[in-house]
């Protein structure tokens, strides 16, 4: 449905400006996301809506460019994703794939894009290896990564007095990476890690692990997990009197839709780092209104991933115009690394040599129920981390693209 | 369970009934020309899953044993094949052999435990074993956890043919698929196959006739596991990834669905079933969550209305055996 | 402080109690499954989805009708129970004469449909549902802090479990039901409306699942996926207890909760898998499960 609307809008634009001699550029973008499972509310159809908005906005200002958006559900499975991506690249003339939540999937796609010389603008996955040891020249990593989360949340909390930590970690590579990165930050800032427990993913009951966390007497319980696991841990933490016992949770990977699912009563006081919040300023509020109309489903909030799809896609399209064509993925990505992008959602973003998109990060705290003025009023801003401090230093990543 | 009678063993060499021969020829021709019209990667995946479903069907359709843990053999063969190709640098035919052998060994161990029980308990033991091996896959280093084993090289077949060329790979997969199909067909229509069907129809009577039923069941189980492993080992080279999805229980559920939709106990059913299910997943990927709802509706419809599956109903209607 | 294998004794008691609490949830869920299998010979794979619908109904009642936890405990099971009866009349009644496999496959498909539709309207992140005020807080038992709600869960579970067992094994209604399962024609000849009994029984089993869902809503994340995470564990519990046995489901539910709880202390990564190990061992040693009839 939306594909047709986008196509028609583009056609109308080109007809109106037929007199202009600008060269016609065609771009096809694929939103590969999680529509039915763990991350569906943080990405999924919301990301598709964001991409559609970006296409529409860009075509309005550039009548000689035709942008088409397609989408698919990768079900968080690496082989399904590579199958869809290969078909998109080989048969359907897709030039760029965006979003791609779930790091294992994102990592699996990178060699495919490199081999076929297409572009990847990631907003969904978290692994800092994407711009680290596994970096490649066809990938740009927008929005966030685990290093930024660990550094933003960990450092700020330790400096705030939370200097003893106990981790509840989801037992898979991503969870362990999150724990490892945050542990390092905690220790580097003078804190201590008193213990950790590894929990199978999709576990519903955390009572046993919360009990262990309580017995450790650590001031901060770090949740190195995501989605339903985080929500369950926090919800049950409220039940077991974690806050009453003087302990606090640190959510290492948590998004606005998750906070909404928890409700302010359970989530109040939670501190975490994000790069976008719908209610930050007039620009974000206006965009959210338009996103809401495009998304066309009641009661949804845009997450930072979705905002990143919008912002990253716009930036990509600007680079395509600068290069003149979308066919050479590496050329477009190289061009992105020389440009600077401004939008109302992230402010100014620049792309480094390792593919990392840099923009400011924010430390948020969840409001108490009595502080909230409405259903979407969830966060208060505690601190702003400037762009050059928020992400891992270029030399520390181990990316082969970085010289010296 | 709806099953027709099959032709006597003596006609095995003529590929069963005439209708089956015709169907087979049509299949071969279709698969030979298809890569020139359809995306070869999709067709290769389809053939791997079709072989997986055929192997599963051997157990449920002809011996009457429902295995809930077939993903175990598919997935672990896929892991070993991927690992052999990537880390040991073996050529593709050897990697596939390693994967298949792994599945055979696992099948022998699992089978010897599972066949001690019948019906739903047999199914639950296979599920339990599959879950335990899933856990092992999650924790063992070489499988790569949820990242899986990525960028598996396709290599050079026999050191000569470059399989990175999709068409070359396609014809290798086609040969493997047809070989597997013919092998299964041969098993079904041999004296061994007759005993299996006897066990399915009336196990006690078969025992009273003096057959060592347990040995036959175990043999069938190992064959089924090995062929499922062949499918998995090949798939690892086709998509160049081996991941946790291949050993997780929904994968076992998928193969049941494919066989059910196509037709339990028919020769061509699993092939049609896997084609339908896979196409649905590809074509409807943009629908996101509705794909699962549609799969659910198909399940329900098949059980209530098309119990014989697509091929079974067609065969029943035409009064032939497929 | 006294220790066992390096864990303080007091801490171990805490974990055991938690294990019992989780076990009571398993028992409640597997009860419905055992009733349905024992009486109808249907392997109800949709049980997890129906549990989820119970929790979702509680949320919808709260959000759209302002109806809180206590009324929801009664309303939700009735609503979902009725849904169950509709399902039985429309879909399941055709399968009784067939192999178990078909019931399992149909209910599996049903689960996919119910969860997919729920996901489409409710998303996957989850829906907020808080503890009822009267059950907030808890008591410090010395070796752990026991939330009041968890104590409530054990109490309710025990009552419901043994109540159901009593109704089926010791009352006339239960006797009729058991007879109808073994010899429906004869029981029909005695003037008892067997199809209606069967429909009501399925409805009851489903209502039990929905009831467990409402009990879960305040403490577990209410999301369309909540059932699929639990369903194969509950299956394992029922199989271990013996597929037709009510008492088996209850005991193995509580027992497995404890086993899982202990695993969470000594080898937490395996806590999701230990139930399957137990299941494989039990099935190999005692073919019908601990209390069950032979396959």
């Amino acid at each position: 449905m939306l594909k047709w609307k986008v196509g028609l809008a583009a056609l109308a634009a080109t007809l109106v400006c037929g007199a202009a001699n600008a060269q016609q550029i065609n771009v096809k973008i694929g939103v590969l996301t999680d529509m039915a499972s763990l991350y569906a509310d943080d990405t999924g159809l919301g990301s598709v809506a964001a991409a559609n908005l970006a296409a529409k906005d860009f075509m309005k200002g550039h009548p000689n460019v035709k942008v088409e958006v397609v989408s698919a559900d990768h079900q968080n499975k690496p082989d399904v994703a590579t199958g869809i991506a290969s078909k998109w690249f080989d048969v359907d003339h897709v030039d760029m794939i965006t979003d791609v939540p779930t790091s294992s999937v994102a990592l699996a796609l990178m060699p495919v894009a490199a081999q076929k010389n297409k572009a990847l603008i990631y907003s969904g996955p978290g692994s800092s290896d994407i711009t680290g040891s596994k970096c490649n020249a066809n990938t740009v990593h927008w929005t966030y990564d685990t290093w930024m989360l660990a550094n933003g949340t960990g450092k700020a909390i330790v400096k705030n007095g939370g200097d003893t930590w106990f981790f509840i970690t989801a037992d898979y590579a991503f969870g362990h990476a999150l724990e490892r990165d945050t542990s390092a930050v905690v220790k580097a800032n003078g804190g201590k890690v008193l213990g950790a427990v590894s929990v199978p993913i999709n576990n519903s009951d955390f009572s046993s692990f919360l009990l262990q966390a309580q017995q450790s007497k650590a001031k901060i319980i770090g949740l190195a997990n995501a989605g339903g696991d985080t929500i369950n841990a926090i919800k049950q933490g409220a039940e077991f009197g974690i806050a009453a016992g003087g302990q606090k949770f640190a959510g290492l990977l948590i998004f606005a839709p998750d906070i909404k699912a928890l409700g302010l009563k359970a989530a109040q006081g939670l501190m975490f780092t994000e790069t976008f919040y719908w209610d930050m300023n007039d620009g974000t509020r206006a965009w959210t209104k338009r996103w809401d109309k495009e998304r066309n489903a009641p009661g949804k909030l845009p997450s930072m991933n979705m905002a990143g799809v919008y912002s990253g896609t716009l930036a990509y399209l600007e680079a395509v115009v600068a290069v003149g064509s979308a066919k050479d993925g590496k050329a477009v990505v190289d061009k992105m690394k020389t440009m600077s992008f401004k939008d109302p959602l992230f402010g100014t973003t620049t792309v480094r040599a390792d593919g990392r998109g840099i923009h400011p990060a924010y430390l948020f705290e969840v409001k108490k129920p009595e502080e909230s003025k409405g259903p979407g009023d969830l966060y208060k801003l505690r601190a702003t981390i400037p762009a050059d401090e928020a992400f891992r230093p270029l030399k520390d990543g181990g990316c082969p693209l970085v010289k010296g | 369970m709806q099953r027709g009678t099959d032709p006597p063993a003596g006609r095995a060499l003529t590929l069963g009934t005439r209708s089956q021969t015709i169907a087979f020829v049509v299949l071969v021709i279709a698969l030979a020309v298809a890569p020139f019209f359809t995306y070869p990667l999709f067709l290769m995946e389809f053939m791997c899953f079709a072989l997986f479903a055929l192997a599963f069907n051997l157990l449920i359709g002809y011996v009457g044993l429902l295995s809930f843990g077939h993903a175990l053999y598919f997935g672990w063969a896929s892991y070993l094949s991927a690992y052999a190709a990537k880390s040991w640098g073996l050529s593709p035919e050897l990697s596939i052999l390693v994967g298949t052998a792994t599945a055979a060994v696992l099948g022998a161990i699992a089978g010897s435990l599972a066949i001690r029980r019948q019906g739903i308990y047999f199914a639950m033991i296979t599920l339990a074993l599959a879950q335990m091996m899933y856990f092992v896959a999650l924790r063992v280093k070489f499988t790569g956890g949820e990242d899986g084993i990525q960028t598996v090289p396709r290599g050079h077949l026999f050191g000569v043919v470059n399989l990175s060329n999709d068409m070359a790979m396609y014809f290798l997969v086609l040969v493997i698929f047809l070989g597997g199909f013919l092998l299964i067909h041969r098993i079904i229509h041999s004296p061994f196959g007759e005993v299996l069907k006897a066990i399915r129809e009336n196990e006690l009577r078969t025992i009273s006739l003096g057959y060592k039923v347990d040995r036959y069941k175990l043999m069938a189980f190992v064959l089924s596991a090995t062929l499922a492993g062949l499918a998995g080992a090949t798939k690892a080279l086709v998509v160049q990834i081996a991941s946790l999805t291949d050993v997780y229980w929904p994968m076992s559920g998928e193969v049941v669905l494919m066989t059910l939709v196509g037709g339990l106990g028919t020769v061509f059913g699993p092939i049609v079933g896997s084609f339908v299910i896979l196409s649905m997943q590809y074509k409807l990927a943009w629908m996101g969550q509705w794909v699962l709802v549609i799969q659910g509706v198909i399940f329900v419809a098949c059980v209530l209305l098309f119990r014989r599956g697509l091929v079974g109903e067609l065969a029943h209607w035409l009064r032939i055996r497929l | 402080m006294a220790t066992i294998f390096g864990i303080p004794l007091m801490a171990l008691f805490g974990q055991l109690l938690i294990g019992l609490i989780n076990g009571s949830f398993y028992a409640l869920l597997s009860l419905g499954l055992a009733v349905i299998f024992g009486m109808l010979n249907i392997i109800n794979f949709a049980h997890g989805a129906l549990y989820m619908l119970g929790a979702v109904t509680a949320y919808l009642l709260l959000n759209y009708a302002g109806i809180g936890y206590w009324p929801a405990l009664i309303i939700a099971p009735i609503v979902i129970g009725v849904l169950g009866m509709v399902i039985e009349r429309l879909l399941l009644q055709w399968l009784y004469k067939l192999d178990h496999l078909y019931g399992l496959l149909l209910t599996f498909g049903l689960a996919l449909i119910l969860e997919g539709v729920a996901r489409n309207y409710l998303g996957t992140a989850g829906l907020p549902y808080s503890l009822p005020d009267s059950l907030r807080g808890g008591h410090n038992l010395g070796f752990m802090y026991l939330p009041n709600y968890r104590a409530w869960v054990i109490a309710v579970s025990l009552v419901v479990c043994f109540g159901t067992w009593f109704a089926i094994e010791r009352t006339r209604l239960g006797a009729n039901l058991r007879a109808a399962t073994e010899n429906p024609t004869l029981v029909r000849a005695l003037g008892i409306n067997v199809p209606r009994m069967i429909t009501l029984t399925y409805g009851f089993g489903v209502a039990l699942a929905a009831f467990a869902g409402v009990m879960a809503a305040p403490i577990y994340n209410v999301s369309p996926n909540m059932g699929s995470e639990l369903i194969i564990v509950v299956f394992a519990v029922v199989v271990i207890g013996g597929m037709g046995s009510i008492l088996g489901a209850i005991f193995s539910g509580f027992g497995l909760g404890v086993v899982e709880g202990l695993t969470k202390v000594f080898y937490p990564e395996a806590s999701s898998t230990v139930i399957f190990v137990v299941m494989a061992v039990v099935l190999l040693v005692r073919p019908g499960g601990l209390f069950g009839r032979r396959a």
Side-chain angles (χ1 to χ4, degrees):
Chain A
M1 256 303 132
L2 289 160
K3 279 195 288 190
W4 290 111
K5 280 196 210 152
V6 165
L8 274 170
L11 190 61
T14 50
L15 282 174
V16 162
C17 305
N21 268 335
Q23 181 204 6
Q24 174 68 18
I25 302 180
N26 294 328
V27 189
K28 197 160 175 186
I29 295 176
V31 183
L32 191 57
T33 182
D34 172 10
M35 293 192 190
S37 144
L38 195 57
Y39 298 115
D41 280 349
D42 303 320
T43 56
L45 292 172
S47 294
V48 178
N52 282 324
L53 260 188
K56 280 189 199 158
D57 287 352
F58 194 78
M59 284 192 290
K60 234 185 279 177
H62 297 83
N64 61 319
V65 181
K66 174 165 171 275
V67 184
E68 198 189 331
V69 177
V70 296
S71 62
D73 181 357
H74 64 40
Q75 302 174 42
N76 295 323
K77 296 178 186 167
D79 34 7
V80 173
T82 47
I84 297 174
S86 295
K87 179 163 175 291
W88 269 357
F89 288 148
D90 289 339
V91 178
D92 296 333
H93 310 296
V94 170
D95 300 303
M96 179 270 270
I97 291 184
T98 182
D99 202 14
V100 196
T102 306
S103 300
S104 53
V105 175
L107 289 169
L109 279 192
M110 288 167 72
V112 177
Q115 194 199 25
K116 301 179 199 276
N117 196 19
K118 304 281 185 175
L120 297 170
I121 310 286
Y122 281 161
S123 177
S127 172
S128 50
D129 287 344
I130 293 173
T131 52
S133 52
K134 306 226 173 88
C135 72
N136 75 17
N138 292 63
T139 311
V140 177
H141 195 183
W142 214 257
T143 314
Y144 79 116
D145 65 26
T146 51
W147 193 95
M148 174 212 109
L149 294 172
N151 196 60
T153 312
K155 196 160 160 181
I157 293 183
V158 173
K159 288 219 152 66
N160 237 0
D163 54 3
T164 51
W165 285 60
F166 183 92
F167 284 99
I168 296 181
T169 306
D171 185 29
Y172 65 137
F174 185 72
H176 289 294
L178 211 48
E179 180 198 324
R180 185 192 58 222
D181 289 347
T182 315
S183 278
V185 171
V186 166
K187 290 188 200 142
N189 282 283
K192 273 206 325 229
V193 177
L194 299 180
V197 65
S198 216
V199 179
I201 41 171
N202 293 328
N203 177 63
S204 353
D205 190 84
F206 283 82
S207 9
S208 164
F209 311 110
L210 289 167
L211 193 60
Q212 293 179 39
Q214 280 176 318
Q215 284 161 347
S216 76
K217 307 255 186 293
K219 292 190 195 144
I220 302 290
I221 303 177
L223 296 172
N225 51 25
D229 290 345
T230 308
I231 297 175
N232 269 325
I234 297 176
K235 205 167 173 179
Q236 289 157 31
E239 217 197 323
F240 277 79
I242 293 281
Q247 292 173 303
K248 266 185 140 166
F249 279 116
L252 294 174
L253 182 62
I254 193 158
F255 306 106
D258 302 332
I259 303 290
K260 199 149 174 284
L262 269 171
L264 290 178
K265 227 178 192 166
Q268 58 185 305
L270 194 66
M271 292 224 285
F272 50 90
T273 315
E274 287 209 277
T275 49
F276 165 83
Y277 175 51
W278 74 273
D279 204 13
M280 289 261 313
N281 55 49
D282 290 332
T284 60
R285 280 186 281 270
W287 183 83
T288 302
K289 255 213 190 87
R290 294 173 51 221
W291 173 86
D292 198 35
K293 208 148 142 260
E294 179 75 36
R295 175 76 177 87
N296 202 16
K300 305 279 181 196
L301 277 181
S303 67
M304 66 174 174
N305 301 311
M306 302 175 195
V309 168
Y310 176 83
S311 172
T313 304
L314 274 184
Y316 168 79
L317 289 168
E318 279 185 48
V320 167
V321 166
V323 170
S325 148
K327 296 305 158 212
D328 185 344
K330 180 171 177 298
V332 178
V333 170
D334 284 340
K335 193 70 186 165
M336 285 181 81
K337 295 177 183 173
T338 66
M339 298 167 78
S340 159
F341 306 101
K342 238 171 129 52
D343 64 55
L345 307 181
F346 292 89
T348 306
T349 309
T350 51
V351 182
R352 293 194 318 205
D354 55 358
R356 182 63 247 173
I358 312 287
H359 34 235
Y362 310 101
L363 183 69
F364 291 112
E365 183 182 322
V366 177
K367 285 187 172 175
K368 302 202 194 22
E370 48 272 18
E371 291 170 332
S372 164
K373 292 184 236 92
D377 186 17
L378 306 170
Y379 301 177
K380 49 188 182 209
L381 178 63
R382 291 293 297 260
T384 303
I385 309 171
D388 48 16
E389 284 172 35
F391 292 90
R392 178 183 56 207
L394 191 55
K395 56 180 173 50
D396 290 346
C399 170
L401 291 177
V402 176
K403 309 281 183 283
Chain B
M1 216 154 309
Q2 307 280 351
R3 301 179 192 90
T5 53
D6 299 282
R11 296 180 60 196
L13 284 174
T14 57
L15 258 165
T17 63
R18 197 167 59 154
S19 46
Q20 288 180 352
T21 317
I22 295 176
F24 180 70
V25 170
V26 168
L27 180 70
V28 175
I29 295 178
L31 287 176
V33 297
F36 301 102
F37 298 104
T38 321
Y39 191 45
L41 202 63
F42 165 75
L43 289 169
M44 289 192 271
E45 263 199 80
F46 151 63
M47 284 193 284
C48 289
F49 278 101
L51 184 59
F52 184 26
L54 283 167
F56 172 78
N57 188 34
L58 181 65
L59 220 49
I60 179 81
Y62 295 95
V63 192
L65 292 171
L66 171 64
S67 161
F68 261 155
H70 246 57
L72 205 182
Y73 320 107
F74 184 77
W76 274 89
S78 162
Y79 272 131
L80 263 302
S81 165
Y83 190 69
K86 187 168 181 191
S87 306
W88 292 339
L90 291 185
S91 59
E93 71 278 1
L94 289 178
S95 307
I96 293 180
L97 218 59
V98 167
T100 313
T102 311
V105 169
L106 289 171
I109 299 174
S112 59
L113 290 172
I115 54 167
R116 296 183 195 186
R117 299 291 164 245
Q118 263 102 313
I120 185 68
Y121 299 106
F122 168 85
M124 293 312 268
I125 293 184
T126 57
L127 174 64
L129 293 170
Q131 280 300 103
M132 294 193 279
M133 288 309 283
Y134 169 75
F135 177 68
V136 172
L138 189 61
R139 309 231 81 226
V140 157
K141 275 255 133 51
F142 89 91
T143 58
E146 76 271 23
D147 287 348
I149 303 180
Q150 300 182 358
T151 55
V152 176
R154 283 194 189 154
H156 289 76
L157 184 64
F158 302 123
V160 176
V161 182
N162 187 357
L163 292 178
S164 308
N165 178 334
D166 274 351
M167 288 303 268
M169 186 74 202
Y170 180 85
F171 283 103
L172 172 66
V173 176
L174 181 60
V175 165
I176 292 178
F177 169 69
L178 289 175
F181 174 81
L182 288 170
L183 179 62
I184 291 178
H185 192 96
R186 188 74 181 83
I187 293 172
I188 295 170
H189 294 98
S190 68
F192 174 75
E194 293 301 318
V195 178
L196 292 181
K197 280 175 235 156
I199 295 174
R200 177 191 73 198
E201 299 295 334
N202 196 327
E203 189 166 335
L204 289 173
R205 195 177 291 173
T206 317
I207 297 176
S208 72
L209 285 171
Y211 286 101
K212 296 230 180 340
V213 158
D214 276 353
R215 246 185 243 169
Y216 280 89
K217 287 207 271 190
L218 181 61
M219 195 72 240
F221 195 96
V222 174
L223 280 167
S224 175
T226 310
L227 287 162
L230 178 62
T234 313
K235 186 196 88 91
L237 294 181
V238 168
V239 294
Q240 300 178 276
I241 288 189
S243 73
L244 280 177
T245 3
D246 300 331
V247 277
Y248 199 36
W249 66 268
M251 177 62 83
S252 298
E254 287 255 316
V255 77
V256 178
L257 177 62
M258 290 179 186
T259 315
L260 180 73
V261 166
L264 292 163
T266 61
V267 174
F268 291 91
I271 301 177
V272 171
S274 45
F275 185 77
V276 167
I277 299 299
L278 219 60
S279 311
M280 232 182 44
Q281 285 178 349
Y282 264 91
K283 285 280 182 263
L284 301 179
W286 59 272
M287 284 180 91
Q289 59 249 53
W290 289 112
V291 182
L292 290 170
V293 176
I294 292 176
Q295 276 192 343
V297 172
I298 292 181
F299 249 119
V300 173
C302 275
V303 170
L304 282 182
L305 304 167
F306 305 113
R307 214 160 294 143
R308 297 188 192 87
L310 288 169
V311 171
E313 293 291 341
L314 180 68
H316 181 81
W317 183 56
L318 292 175
R319 294 183 204 287
I320 57 176
R321 254 176 310 277
L322 276 174
Chain C
M1 192 188 270
T3 66
I4 288 186
F5 303 114
I7 314 277
L9 201 59
M10 287 291 121
L12 200 60
F13 283 155
Q15 300 290 1
L16 282 171
L17 185 56
I18 286 179
L20 265 172
I21 297 171
N22 285 338
S24 64
F25 245 110
Y26 288 146
L28 207 53
L29 268 171
S30 49
L31 194 63
L33 206 60
V35 166
I36 292 174
F37 184 76
M39 302 291 124
L40 275 65
N41 258 323
I42 292 273
I43 302 172
N44 188 28
F45 223 94
H47 215 69
L50 295 160
Y51 155 81
M52 177 268 289
L53 284 178
V56 165
T57 308
Y59 164 79
L60 291 173
L61 285 173
L62 184 63
N63 233 26
Y64 293 106
I67 298 178
Y69 174 79
W70 297 101
L73 269 180
I74 314 227
I75 300 179
I78 293 180
V79 168
I80 304 297
V82 167
L83 175 67
M85 292 196 273
V86 168
I87 291 174
E88 196 274 336
R89 281 287 97 198
L90 272 181
L91 302 172
L92 290 175
Q93 64 163 319
W94 317 108
L95 302 179
Y96 295 142
K97 296 195 179 56
L98 300 177
D99 198 276
H100 288 164
L101 168 66
Y102 291 108
L104 191 146
L105 291 174
L106 186 133
T107 50
F108 181 71
L110 203 56
L112 287 177
I113 297 175
L114 293 171
E115 281 171 6
V117 170
R119 221 176 276 130
N120 189 53
Y121 291 108
L122 303 169
T124 56
L127 307 159
Y129 198 89
S130 350
L131 289 172
D133 288 322
S134 38
L135 287 172
R136 268 182 200 281
H139 300 284
N140 196 333
L141 299 178
F143 52 88
M144 69 171 275
Y145 176 85
L146 178 67
N148 288 337
Y149 194 81
R150 302 274 170 156
W152 163 245
V153 167
I154 299 191
V156 167
S157 207
L158 285 169
V159 167
V160 171
C161 284
F162 281 105
T164 308
W165 172 79
F166 188 84
I168 292 186
E169 297 287 330
R170 293 277 180 266
T171 63
R172 191 182 189 83
L173 178 66
N176 286 346
L177 200 53
R178 280 178 286 129
T181 315
E182 294 191 44
N183 200 332
T185 328
L186 198 57
V187 173
R188 243 173 155 149
L190 291 172
I192 297 180
N193 188 341
V194 171
R196 186 180 327 150
M197 280 187 92
I198 293 189
T199 309
L200 283 169
T201 308
Y202 188 75
F204 177 66
V206 166
L208 276 175
F211 182 76
V214 180
M215 296 286 294
I219 48 175
Y220 295 161
N221 188 26
V222 176
S223 99
N225 295 330
M226 68 194 289
S228 56
E229 288 150 19
L230 275 177
I231 184 72
I232 41 172
V233 174
V234 174
F235 247 94
V237 167
V238 173
V239 169
I240 291 173
M243 290 206 70
S245 164
I246 311 288
L247 213 54
I250 298 174
F251 277 122
S252 68
F254 278 100
L256 277 160
V258 173
V259 168
E260 194 191 57
L262 288 174
T263 318
K264 283 183 178 176
V265 176
F266 294 110
Y267 189 15
E269 296 88 340
S271 49
S272 287
T273 316
V274 69
I275 283 185
F276 296 102
V277 177
V278 174
M279 177 163 82
V281 168
V282 166
L283 283 179
L284 289 171
V285 168
R286 260 199 77 103
L290 293 174
F291 289 78
R293 5 180 242 238
R294 263 217 82 112

